[in-house]
Amino acid sequence: MSTTTTLITGIGSLVTNDPGQGAGPLGLLTDAAVVVDGGTVAWVGPAAQAPAADERFDAGGRALLPGFVDSHAHLVFAGDRTAEFNARMSGQAYSAGGIRTTVAATRAASDAELEANLARFVREAVRQGTTTIECKSGYGLTVEDEARALRIAAGYTPETTYLGAHVVAPEYAEDPAGYVELVTGEMLDACAPHARWVDVFCEKGAFDGDQARAVLTAGIEKGLTPRVHANQLTYGPGVQLAVELGAASADHCTHLTDEDVAALAGSATVATLLPGAEFSTRAEYPSGRRLLDAGAVVALSTDCNPGSSFTSSMAFCIAVAVREMGMTPDEAVWAATAGGARALRRSDVGTVTVGARADLLLLEAPSHVHLAYRPGVPLTAAVWRAGVREV
């Protein structure tokens, strides 16, 4: 079957994330061009040397980069937690217990309502340059509700995560061991066919280290790859457990000992930082600088959820990471693209290289640095997903 080729030329600054292709870790090229063939990148190089193509798009000197890879999001839910946010911003402390409010609303929603919400959030993310997004369950906490969340999510992304162990379901408040048994048994059996990943909120108020180990180990035995909500609210065993079990990522990483940092730096587990959560809870930000200087791989993600980080903007996360977490603009952009791809163990996204998916973000700006330089400004000029222009 023949495909249409498209030449994107006149790119003022191109982030390839391939140091062998251009300058620095971002593999930057100036006055560049990209050829898209079907859903993949077919050619990258200087605009003056670009081959002919069926169609031509002039970037007009603007910056092009890989689409954002958002490797941590909670998008299958119903309800609203505006009042909780308002109370928190008025002085109340954040705790994991607010999740139960969303659980009640999600259980009461129809499949159509949940899918409509998910579709709206995915569209919102794409309009801001996100081309790959992970989606977790975790707001149903019954066998049926967790399974339907993953079925719905699978219609929008292959990166689906079973998070039955988000918090203990309200029916099991006095029997957390019984809930862990459900999560590792009947619920896992129902959810595993619709998931790629297994996750657990290893935190005070959620699941302790032993419970988290049981959940992740059971998921691994079902063929799921682990990722862990780790060390968000306080120091704990989450990071060490993630590294020990070969998790793709340890997410949050706000409170880390030197041993935690060393473990991440010496492993393939990505430290995924979620600055939207700290912003929305007035909490201490994780130190991207500390992790990067130690040699850890860092990703940035939105943690989009209705309680603690209700943002779908990866650009916002980049700006906060640069301002509050010690990261340079180059490091933050890499973390939001190639870093997210590493956290999802994907080699086909997060780069603009020959053979990669043609997931591309054109900025209304001459440089990727504007993502941090102009915080809060809508800079999306165009978005392609698998070669199809969607914005």
Side-chain angles (χ1 to χ4, degrees):
M1 188 175 81
S2 62
T3 58
T4 299
T5 58
T6 301
L7 168 64
I8 305 173
T9 190
I11 303 166
S13 175
L14 174 63
V15 173
T16 69
N17 283 335
D18 178 5
Q21 198 160 248
L26 293 185
L28 280 172
L29 292 173
T30 56
D31 193 19
V34 172
V35 174
V36 174
D37 186 352
T40 62
V41 175
W43 185 90
V44 178
Q49 299 175 19
D54 300 321
E55 298 177 353
R56 180 186 178 97
F57 179 94
D58 186 358
R62 293 172 290 189
L64 188 75
L65 57 152
F68 297 131
V69 181
D70 190 348
S71 61
H72 184 128
H74 306 251
L75 303 180
V76 184
F77 68 87
D80 181 85
R81 285 162 67 181
T82 303
E84 177 192 322
F85 175 80
N86 191 39
R88 191 163 63 241
M89 293 301 104
S90 303
Q92 288 187 13
Y94 171 70
S95 72
I99 293 169
R100 294 181 181 89
T101 304
T102 301
V103 169
T106 302
R107 289 178 177 180
S110 68
D111 288 11
E113 288 169 331
L114 292 178
E115 183 171 358
N117 277 345
L118 171 60
R120 177 166 59 90
F121 292 127
V122 170
R123 287 195 302 270
E124 181 181 280
V126 171
R127 284 197 301 269
Q128 298 172 90
T130 297
T131 51
T132 301
I133 195 162
E134 181 259 13
C135 188
K136 304 178 190 296
S137 67
Y139 289 124
L141 310 187
T142 67
V143 173
E144 180 182 350
D145 286 307
E146 287 296 290
R148 74 167 176 153
L150 289 165
R151 284 196 304 270
I152 292 168
Y156 291 81
T157 177
E159 304 300 341
T160 52
T161 300
Y162 169 49
L163 184 59
H166 202 180
V167 293
V168 173
E171 298 86 353
Y172 287 83
E174 304 304 318
D175 184 20
Y179 186 65
V180 171
E181 184 176 348
L182 178 69
V183 168
T184 58
E186 182 184 358
M187 187 184 289
L188 174 61
D189 291 341
C191 290
H194 311 290
R196 181 183 179 196
W197 309 96
V198 59
D199 199 346
V200 59
F201 190 8
C202 184
E203 188 64 69
K204 183 179 179 181
F207 298 90
D208 64 25
D210 290 340
Q211 293 168 329
R213 179 188 299 278
V215 169
L216 296 174
T217 300
I220 291 169
E221 290 174 353
K222 280 286 187 179
L224 306 182
T225 304
R227 35 197 340 107
V228 184
H229 282 62
N231 300 54
Q232 177 188 5
L233 305 179
T234 187
Y235 297 95
V239 164
Q240 295 290 340
L241 182 62
V243 171
E244 176 193 337
L245 295 182
S249 66
D251 298 25
H252 288 290
C253 294
T254 309
H255 299 279
L256 301 180
T257 65
D258 290 344
E259 291 75 18
D260 292 333
V261 173
L264 288 165
S267 76
T269 299
V270 174
T272 299
L273 309 184
L274 311 170
E278 281 74 35
F279 180 90
S280 298
T281 59
R282 285 185 176 156
E284 174 187 350
Y285 286 99
S287 175
R289 180 80 275 130
R290 182 185 180 198
L291 286 159
L292 289 164
D293 286 349
V297 176
V298 171
L300 286 174
S301 185
T302 64
D303 189 20
C304 186
N305 76 82
S308 61
S309 183
F310 204 8
T311 180
S312 56
S313 174
M314 290 288 280
F316 167 78
C317 293
I318 288 170
V320 174
V322 171
R323 173 62 180 83
E324 301 289 347
M325 292 157 55
M327 298 174 72
T328 68
D330 284 10
E331 289 168 339
V333 167
W334 190 95
T337 52
R342 293 273 193 99
L344 292 176
R345 295 190 172 166
R346 296 276 295 271
S347 60
D348 61 327
V349 297
T351 66
V352 183
T353 53
V354 174
R357 267 176 55 109
D359 288 353
L360 307 169
L361 166 59
L362 183 71
L363 298 182
E364 197 63 71
S367 167
H368 64 280
V369 177
H370 280 234
L371 291 164
Y373 181 39
R374 304 199 68 207
V377 177
L379 294 176
T380 303
V383 177
W384 292 264
R385 285 208 294 173
V388 177
R389 187 175 176 186
E390 299 197 7
V391 176

